[in-house]
Amino acid sequence: MFGAYVTVTILASVFTAIAAVTYFAGHDYPKAQLDMKRLPHSWMPMLGAFLAAGSVGLLAGFAVPLLGILASIGLVLYFVGALVAHLRVGSRNLVGWGVFFITVVAALVVNIAHNG
């Protein structure tokens, strides 16, 4: 179980950190996603900060387990919000969202199983 906990937590942290960097760097992909969801580009730093905080929180969970659990809950909520944004505009292209969502849900499950 410990191996799964470490692997899934690090994987989720890396995924969300890379996503955060794309938001902070102003990459074209997050801009296109915001345009598609009819959200302002001014939200990019805030969304990147949420992802970065979740990524750091997952890693901090190795030292303080409650932080890892709270970070994974926050990331699950973030991606639920992303799903709502997709569905609000009628987008059915949910493969990317699904990869992130499954990863952060798995992080939540292994964090609770290992530390709960």
Side-chain angles (χ1 to χ4, degrees):
M1 181 63 199
F2 180 74
Y5 162 64
V6 171
T7 302
V8 171
T9 300
I10 290 174
L11 182 67
S13 180
V14 168
F15 277 12
T16 55
I18 291 170
V21 168
T22 64
Y23 276 87
F24 289 139
H27 192 271
D28 288 339
Y29 183 76
K31 287 180 183 176
Q33 288 295 303
L34 289 171
D35 290 341
M36 183 263 302
K37 295 170 189 148
R38 296 185 212 122
L39 298 171
H41 286 204
S42 63
W43 286 22
M44 283 183 67
M46 178 185 57
L47 295 172
F50 289 152
L51 290 167
S55 177
V56 170
L58 287 173
L59 296 178
F62 290 128
V64 182
L66 181 59
L67 288 177
I69 292 170
L70 292 175
S72 57
I73 290 169
L75 287 168
V76 167
L77 293 174
Y78 176 95
F79 287 106
V80 167
L83 175 63
V84 170
H86 272 279
L87 297 178
R88 180 179 62 87
V89 296
S91 170
R92 299 295 184 253
N93 184 8
L94 300 173
V95 174
W97 170 85
V99 169
F100 278 96
F101 187 70
I102 289 168
T103 304
V104 298
V105 167
L108 175 60
V109 169
V110 296
N111 267 278
I112 291 173
H114 184 265
N115 299 310

